[in-house]
């Protein structure tokens, strides 16, 4: 039986961190076995809230290197750049005419951005259009499933409505995609806020052992644990939140050790360092192997985009024909 087709994208907003790895990439790697996957660098989407991205070609390439180093496999999955796929743009223009403004203005991610008049004067049309472009990204490939984070669910719901509207007018041409949610908990930054590049609190995939150690040392622990003998509450500690993910086999021991002050924060952090470092080590090695092959990323993208054009080209042919753009 043919595998169902899956599409997902990641914005090119800078180097990737553990939040991307745990929240998205590990899921993508597993999904490759079950689905025909199309993964793309959402380059245009990255411009919805910034005017310029310095060294964009390098930023894109580095992101692709990160994907491959964690196990996204170009033999199994199509890897491409949205900015090479003009079919997405054409379909977005078409679908924008079928999308009521109200649907977009009610979208929670957009509403958050335009709380007041001042915000209205700076938020871009691209931001408003975000879900329309996302719909085009998906519909170009007639994807049946789309893995997204919880925050993206309203976008996917909109995509389904936009596609339904298109099909209502032109026949069953585009597929309505289903969301698959990853069950992974959101990772905290080292300062206990949401992990985000803009907060400067992230642990990057490219961390060296030394810089990783340094970041883990900076992690916020239980503030009540001032001295080594003070008992702590692991449930308020960022380090412990990480142990839940990376040290599940010793969680009880560490929790009890914290509560009774049998273990100090330094040792507790060292254990976490060993775990994360051991996970990152093979990723670092694969990154070095990839970087040692000049032209490899360009080849991967060329092959991926060739295949992507085949599929998107076919979809766009049907769309153009249905709408009367072909004579
Ligand atoms: N909006 C997604 C995010 O920020 C990225 C994205 C763009 C995407 N187009 C998509 C994800 C299409 C899935 C399908 O995470
Ligand atoms: Fe956090 Fe570990 Fe220190 Fe407890 S012992 S406060 S869990 S770092």
């Amino acid at each position: 039986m043919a595998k169902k087709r899956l599409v997902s994208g990641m914005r090119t907003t800078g180097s990737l961190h553990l939040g991307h790895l745990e929240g998205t990439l590990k899921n993508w790697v597993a999904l490759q076995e079950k689905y025909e996957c199309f993964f793309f660098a959402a380059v245009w989407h990255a411009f919805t809230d910034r005017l310029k991205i310095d060294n964009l070609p390098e930023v894109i390439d580095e992101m692709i290197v990160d994907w491959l180093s964690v196990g996204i496999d170009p033999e199994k999955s199509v890897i491409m750049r949205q900015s090479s796929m003009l079919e997405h743009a054409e379909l977005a223009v078409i679908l924008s005419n079928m999308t009521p403004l109200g649907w977009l203005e009610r979208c929670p991610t957009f509403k958050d951005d335009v709380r007041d008049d001042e915000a209205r004067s700076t938020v871009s049309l691209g931001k408003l259009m975000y879900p329309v472009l996302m719909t085009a990204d998906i519909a170009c490939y007639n994807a049946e499933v789309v893995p997204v984070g919880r925050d993206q669910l309203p976008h996917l719901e909109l995509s389904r409505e936009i596609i339904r509207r298109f099909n209502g007018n032109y026949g069953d041409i585009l597929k309505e995609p289903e969301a698959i949610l990853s069950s992974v908990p959101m990772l905290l930054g080292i300062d206990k806020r949401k992990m985000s590049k803009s907060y400067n609190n992230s642990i990057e995939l490219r961390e060296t052992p030394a810089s990783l150690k340094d970041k883990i040392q900076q992690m916020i622990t239980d503030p009540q644990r001032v001295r080594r003998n003070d008992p702590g509450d692991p449930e308020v500690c960022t380090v412990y939140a990480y142990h839940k993910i990376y040290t599940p086999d010793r969680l009880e021991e560490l929790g009890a050790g914290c509560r009774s002050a049998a273990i100090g924060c330094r040792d507790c952090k060292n254990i976490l360092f060993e775990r994360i470092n051991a996970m990152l080590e093979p990723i670092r090695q694969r990154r070095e192997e990839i970087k040692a092959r000049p032209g490899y990323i360009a080849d991967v993208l060329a092959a991926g985009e060739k295949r992507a054009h085949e599929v998107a080209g076919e979809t766009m042919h049907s769309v153009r024909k249905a709408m009367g753009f072909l004579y």
Side-chain angles (χ1 to χ4, degrees):
M1 216 176 71
K3 288 180 177 170
K4 286 189 182 179
R5 194 171 289 150
L6 174 155
V7 167
S8 201
M10 188 182 283
R11 289 180 302 138
T12 46
T13 52
S15 66
L16 301 187
H17 53 58
L18 289 188
H20 295 111
L21 179 63
E22 298 300 335
T24 307
L25 289 172
K26 284 190 178 174
N27 196 28
W28 284 10
V29 170
L31 290 165
Q32 294 183 113
E33 308 305 326
K34 198 167 158 207
Y35 297 99
E36 182 192 2
C37 294
F38 286 66
F39 297 123
F40 67 94
V43 180
W44 294 328
H45 274 118
F47 283 90
T48 51
D49 49 16
R50 70 205 76 199
L51 292 172
K52 242 178 150 174
I53 298 176
D54 292 331
N55 308 317
L56 184 58
E58 290 80 13
V59 171
I60 297 172
D61 276 11
E62 290 291 304
M63 186 166 92
I64 306 295
V65 170
D66 279 346
W67 289 4
L68 301 186
S69 67
V70 303
I72 301 293
D73 182 351
E75 300 288 322
K76 294 179 185 154
S77 302
V78 173
I79 298 168
M80 58 175 157
R81 293 162 290 195
Q82 185 185 42
S83 47
S84 302
M85 303 301 302
L86 302 188
E87 295 89 338
H88 298 212
E90 181 185 359
L91 189 55
V93 168
I94 290 170
L95 295 177
S96 72
N97 296 305
M98 297 173 197
T99 310
L101 195 49
W103 290 4
L104 297 174
E105 285 175 334
R106 276 196 299 275
C107 190
T109 45
F110 183 73
K111 267 201 328 219
D112 283 352
D113 283 327
V114 287
R115 284 246 164 70
D116 49 42
D117 278 349
E118 196 197 316
R120 278 192 79 84
S121 64
T122 53
V123 167
S124 67
L125 175 59
K127 186 87 188 188
L128 180 69
M129 280 267 297
Y130 193 112
V132 179
L133 178 57
M134 190 163 154
T135 305
D137 297 335
I138 298 164
C140 259
Y141 305 98
N142 275 315
E144 290 175 84
V145 287
V146 180
V148 285
R150 202 163 281 284
D151 60 317
Q152 297 287 320
L153 272 184
H155 289 157
L156 212 75
E157 208 34 63
L158 256 177
S159 292
R160 292 163 57 88
E161 288 181 53
I162 295 169
I163 288 172
R164 235 174 278 151
R165 218 157 192 238
F166 179 90
N167 286 346
N169 286 300
Y170 294 104
D172 266 344
I173 290 179
L174 303 176
K175 271 220 169 73
E176 256 183 65
E178 312 242 359
I180 35 182
L181 265 186
S182 59
S183 55
V184 186
M186 193 163 67
L187 259 194
L188 297 173
I190 59 173
D191 60 357
K192 220 177 158 181
R193 293 188 291 174
K194 176 184 167 68
M195 188 178 283
S196 159
K197 191 131 189 83
S198 50
Y199 293 156
N200 198 20
N201 65 357
S202 57
I203 297 178
E204 315 278 309
L205 293 188
R206 272 148 223 271
E207 229 58 82
T208 62
S211 68
L212 177 65
K213 189 152 227 164
D214 190 51
K215 291 220 169 142
I216 291 176
Q217 287 308 333
Q218 288 175 45
M219 274 186 177
I220 307 281
T221 59
D222 176 1
Q224 304 293 333
R225 252 202 117 172
V226 184
R227 266 169 265 128
R228 169 69 182 76
N229 297 337
D230 297 335
D233 176 2
E235 292 304 332
V236 304
C237 174
T238 322
V239 178
Y240 194 70
Y242 275 75
H243 277 307
K244 286 182 178 172
I245 297 170
Y246 295 110
T247 326
D249 52 316
R250 292 182 64 185
L251 203 56
E252 272 179 38
E253 170 202 339
L254 292 169
C258 174
R259 286 192 194 89
S260 66
I263 181 173
C265 292
R266 182 180 293 271
D267 292 335
C268 190
K269 286 176 165 175
N270 279 336
I271 293 167
L272 182 63
F273 165 76
E274 294 300 338
R275 287 293 170 106
I276 297 182
N277 196 48
M279 175 186 71
L280 291 182
E281 192 47 40
I283 297 175
R284 290 182 193 124
Q285 275 173 20
R286 265 185 306 228
R287 183 181 304 119
E288 290 314 310
E289 285 162 24
I290 292 165
K291 295 214 136 173
R293 296 170 67 176
Y296 179 60
I297 295 300
D299 291 346
V300 164
L301 289 171
E305 288 164 7
K306 180 166 175 280
R307 169 75 186 135
H309 281 302
E310 282 166 17
V311 178
E314 211 172 294
T315 308
M316 288 316 295
H317 184 82
S318 309
V319 168
R320 292 178 198 128
K321 199 164 146 202
M323 294 186 74
F325 302 153
L326 295 178
Y327 306 98

